[in-house]
Amino acid sequence: MGAGIDGPTGTVKPPLSRKTNLSSILEVIDQGLGTMDWIAVPVKEGGYEAIFWMFKDALMHKRTGRRWPCSPAEAQMACDKLKSTPSDLPGFPEPVPSTSAEPSIFLTPKMMDYRWAQSKKAGQTVDPVGFNVNGDVAVENGKLNTYVDSKIQKGWLVGDPGKIWAITNRIGPAKAGLPTACNYGWHVASSKVAVKAGNPKEGRYAGGDVKAAVASLGEFCVQWEEHGHNTAWIDYSQLLILASGWCVVKAPGEKDFKPIETAKVYTDPKMFVLVSHDGKPLKFTKQPLTVPKTASKGAAKKAQLEKDLEERRFRLARIESRKSGGAAAAPQGEPGPEIFTA
């Protein structure tokens, strides 16, 4: 069991959008079978310097070595279990303050960009490869793990073994009665991208579209800052990579780094530039898990309309398929198999 992982607590599993025979990542943690290590990732922005501690790799199952998939709700609940003090973080500047353990925190897209850039320096990046997002979660996750393990050296910082659940200011309206979540990642080096003429922020990679990463590091990613899923969504490629609740920051003109809770950096009117790409401090430091009461009625009505629309699209697609004598493409608005290949 990795440092900072709490023992059994009898967690109640949140709902998932589909069935899977894999245990919840919360059960993996509660049973002491989750493992992860911290690594320092430096960030410089707006005259500030910071060091954030992030997972070297996605959280794994100790016995199987599988990078465990999770939903946004599970990821947020895991944060409270994966606590750390400065003493738990390798290389934390002396003197280490005597403080309590802080919960882990979601990365922002910008932090994920810096993490990937650090792994690129170590030659530990993994090019995106897609399997069937509609397939069995356990089977497709197994394929992803086998692929990633064949591309990296274990024990080092691994860039994008999958996608993450991130925290942003763009948490959108409810979907099917639950808050939306942001997924992000699967970076691609700019040297492997055919940039679109007249638009340097978009391109093509292995037959799929990519967009420029949010940080100005010259790279792209397959999964940009999107909000197409709610907190119950789970698939094979959504893994758990978090930041420690502690970091160190050096303000402009200062000589030494000072310890600070990571959540305070997210919301500070000046330090936020280290983590946020939209010019504003973060409104959230946690993934919302419930819909505000004032929005619940409208959200439920919208969810029903969306469900009716999806059913209509599906019926139309099936009719068109029968007319053409073949299989129709996935209706717009429904996820089809991911087709990216290395």
Side-chain angles (χ1 to χ4, degrees):
M1 180 169 63
I5 297 182
D6 289 351
T9 60
T11 301
V12 176
K13 293 185 293 182
L16 296 177
S17 60
R18 69 188 76 191
K19 293 181 179 180
T20 171
N21 58 9
L22 287 176
S23 299
S24 167
I25 198 169
L26 300 172
E27 293 174 331
V28 172
I29 295 170
D30 283 349
Q31 293 165 9
L33 297 175
T35 181
M36 39 63 92
D37 293 300
W38 299 108
I39 192 167
V41 177
V43 176
K44 294 183 179 181
E45 196 76 47
Y48 285 90
E49 295 183 44
I51 301 174
F52 296 101
W53 278 263
M54 308 178 191
F55 288 7
K56 278 186 179 181
D57 201 336
L59 186 138
M60 294 183 182
H61 190 282
K62 181 186 294 185
R63 294 175 183 167
T64 66
R66 181 193 288 266
R67 296 168 183 84
W68 216 257
C70 63
S71 70
E74 290 174 318
Q76 182 56 64
M77 294 172 71
C79 287
D80 291 328
K81 298 174 178 294
L82 307 178
K83 299 178 180 179
S84 57
T85 67
S87 297
D88 295 322
L89 308 174
F92 201 94
E94 298 287 348
V96 174
S98 178
T99 53
S100 61
E102 286 292 319
S104 296
I105 193 168
F106 277 32
L107 299 179
T108 66
K110 185 172 184 176
M111 292 170 72
M112 188 64 166
D113 291 348
Y114 274 94
R115 183 185 179 281
W116 187 87
Q118 184 84 343
S119 64
K120 182 182 178 183
K121 292 179 181 178
Q124 283 282 97
T125 58
V126 180
D127 288 339
V129 60
F131 299 100
N132 187 0
V133 73
N134 294 318
D136 183 279
V137 175
V139 172
E140 303 305 312
N141 177 256
K143 294 177 184 176
L144 177 67
N145 274 280
T146 298
Y147 169 77
V148 172
D149 286 341
S150 72
K151 299 295 182 181
I152 55 94
Q153 182 170 338
K154 291 185 178 180
W156 293 24
L157 173 63
V158 179
D160 286 20
K163 297 169 286 185
I164 66 163
W165 298 114
I167 198 74
T168 78
N169 280 326
R170 293 184 58 237
I171 299 297
K175 287 181 177 291
L178 294 171
T180 55
C182 172
N183 59 338
Y184 185 78
W186 264 355
H187 288 71
V188 182
S190 56
S191 60
K192 299 179 180 180
V193 173
V195 178
K196 291 183 179 179
N199 188 351
K201 292 188 176 183
E202 295 185 5
R204 299 279 292 178
Y205 165 75
D209 292 329
V210 292
K211 291 185 179 181
V214 300
S216 301
L217 302 175
E219 309 299 344
F220 292 79
C221 55
V222 170
Q223 182 60 67
W224 199 68
E225 183 191 358
E226 302 291 352
H227 297 78
H229 303 303
N230 65 18
T231 52
W233 177 264
I234 188 170
D235 67 52
Y236 72 93
S237 64
Q238 293 292 159
L239 308 178
L240 187 66
I241 299 177
L242 301 171
S244 168
W246 284 100
C247 66
V248 293
V249 176
K250 184 195 298 183
E254 294 184 348
K255 294 183 179 180
D256 300 317
F257 285 99
K258 295 181 179 179
I260 187 172
E261 294 95 327
T262 308
K264 290 183 179 179
V265 177
Y266 282 29
T267 59
D268 186 85
K270 294 182 179 179
M271 290 187 289
F272 79 89
V273 296
L274 290 162
V275 299
S276 179
H277 66 279
D278 65 2
K280 301 176 183 178
L282 287 170
K283 296 180 292 185
F284 307 96
T285 58
K286 295 184 177 182
Q287 166 65 49
L289 297 182
T290 58
V291 178
K293 290 183 179 179
T294 55
S296 59
K297 288 186 178 180
K301 184 176 180 180
K302 183 178 179 181
Q304 186 59 49
L305 290 173
E306 289 179 348
K307 182 179 179 181
D308 293 343
L309 181 59
E310 291 302 322
E311 290 177 353
R312 193 175 302 119
R313 285 173 175 160
F314 180 79
R315 288 196 299 270
L316 289 173
R318 187 166 55 183
I319 292 171
E320 291 299 320
S321 176
R322 289 172 177 171
K323 287 181 180 178
S324 62
Q332 185 178 1
E334 285 191 292
E338 294 175 312
I339 58 171
F340 297 104
T341 55

